[in-house]
Every structure is written in structure tokens, then in C-alpha cells.
């Protein structure tokens, strides 16, 4: 069974904002003649790499709820210019909306077992996917989702 990561999506207030940021960064890389791949840089390197790469995803917490995920493609370690070990979490640029799952703020990333991960929105049974994003946000802020 695949293992996942969960991380706060700092600076994004919606899935649409995240998607726009990804598109912008990929286009920026294409324009610079670089390989257009998406990755997230983190200081801590996961120890359970094999489990994560066996179908795992990075679940994004946006505005206090897990709202979407991206499939993990590769985990690359490197040392930055200051001599600090870091890690690139290489992600599939496709965003997969999930059922919303409340999550308190935390630093860094956390492991997320498959059985604890929210269902993909298309596989869910709640019908929340039919609600406009703004309405979902307001209902979540009121604690009704």
C-alpha cells in the first residue's frame, strides 16, 4: 500500500491558485530552456522513499483542509549553496481534487497512510464536488464541511 505526504500549501488560497502557480513556473522554465518539471523543495528528506514512490502522492492543505493531491514521481536529494542538505519532491503537474479533510497547521511535511488519506473528489460520495469553490470555502470556514 502506498505511503503519502501531506504539506501546507503556503501562499495559496484555492486549488485554482495552486494550478495557476504551477502553470506559471512550468512556462517560466520552458522559456529559460530548462526541463519543465514541477518540484517542491524541502529541507527534510523522507526516509521511506521506496514506499512513497510506490504510487504515493503529496496531499496539499489549503486554508485548513486537505483539498487536492499531486502524484510523487521522484525524490532527489541535493546540497544547496550554503551546504545544507535538501530535497526536491518531483511532482506530476496534474492536480487531483480530493474530498476535503480538516487539518491543523504544522511545519514541514508529515507522512499520510493510504487508509487515512481523503478520497479523490471523483470517487467521493458526498456531492461536494458539485458546489462552487467559493461556497465550499465558506462552508468549510463555518465548520459545515
Amino acid at each position: 500500500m502506498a505511503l503519502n505526504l501531506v504539506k501546507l500549501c503556503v501562499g495559496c488560497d484555492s486549488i485554482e491558485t495552486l494550478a495557476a502557480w504551477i502553470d506559471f513556473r512550468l512556462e517560466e522554465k520552458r522559456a529559460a530552456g530548462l526541463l519543465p518539471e514541477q518540484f517542491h523543495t524541502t529541507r527534510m528528506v523522507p526516509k521511506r522513499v521506496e514506499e512513497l514512490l510506490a504510487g504515493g502522492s503529496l496531499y496539499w492543505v489549503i486554508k485548513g483542509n486537505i483539498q487536492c493531491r499531486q502524484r510523487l514521481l521522484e525524490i532527489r536529494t541535493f546540497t544547496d549553496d550554503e551546504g545544507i542538505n535538501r530535497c526536491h519532491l518531483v511532482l506530476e503537474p496534474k492536480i487531483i481534487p480530493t474530498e476535503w479533510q480538516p487539518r491543523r497547521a504544522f511545519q514541514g511535511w508529515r507522512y499520510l497512510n493510504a487508509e487515512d488519506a481523503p478520497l479523490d473528489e471523483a470517487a467521493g460520495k458526498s456531492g461536494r464536488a458539485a458546489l462552487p469553490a467559493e461556497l465550499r470555502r465558506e462552508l468549510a470556514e463555518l465548520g459545515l464541511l
Side-chain angles (χ1 to χ4, degrees), residues 1 14 16 22 24 34 39 45 51 53 55 59 62 67 70 77 86 88 94 97 100 110 118 125 131:
M1 188 168 281
S14 68
E16 296 78 15
I22 292 168
F24 173 78
L34 301 172
F39 56 82
V45 178
E51 292 173 85
L53 296 179
Y59 283 77
I62 301 172
Q67 294 188 25
Q70 289 181 273
T77 59
R86 297 196 184 275
H88 285 316
K94 178 183 176 191
W100 286 20
R110 300 285 185 268
K125 300 175 184 156
L131 296 174

Side-chain angles (χ1 to χ4, degrees), residues 24-116:
F24 173 78
R25 294 289 296 173
L26 292 176
E27 188 54 41
E28 195 175 55
K29 288 179 181 184
R30 281 186 198 96
L34 301 172
L35 178 65
E37 67 178 2
Q38 187 208 352
F39 56 82
H40 179 76
T41 305
T42 181
R43 188 175 63 85
M44 299 304 292
V45 178
K47 294 186 182 357
R48 299 170 68 183
V49 173
E50 290 177 18
E51 292 173 85
L52 290 167
L53 296 179
S57 292
L58 176 61
Y59 283 77
W60 289 111
V61 176
I62 301 172
K63 293 288 188 181
N65 289 285
I66 294 177
Q67 294 188 25
C68 62
R69 69 181 179 92
Q70 289 181 273
R71 198 165 62 86
L72 282 164
L73 301 177
E74 190 177 350
I75 297 174
R76 292 186 204 134
T77 59
F78 68 99
T79 304
D80 69 11
D81 296 337
E82 298 173 359
I84 299 171
N85 291 331
R86 297 196 184 275
C87 169
H88 285 316
L89 303 173
V90 182
L91 304 167
E92 182 177 51
K94 178 183 176 191
I95 296 173
I96 302 165
T98 64
E99 290 287 318
W100 286 20
Q101 186 181 83
R103 206 47 80 139
R104 293 187 185 269
F106 58 90
Q107 291 186 339
W109 51 261
R110 300 285 185 268
Y111 289 115
L112 178 65
N113 293 318
E115 61 270 11
D116 297 327

Side-chain angles (χ1 to χ4, degrees), residues 119-132:
L119 294 174
D120 290 350
E121 201 170 68
K125 300 175 184 156
S126 70
R128 295 177 202 172
L131 296 174

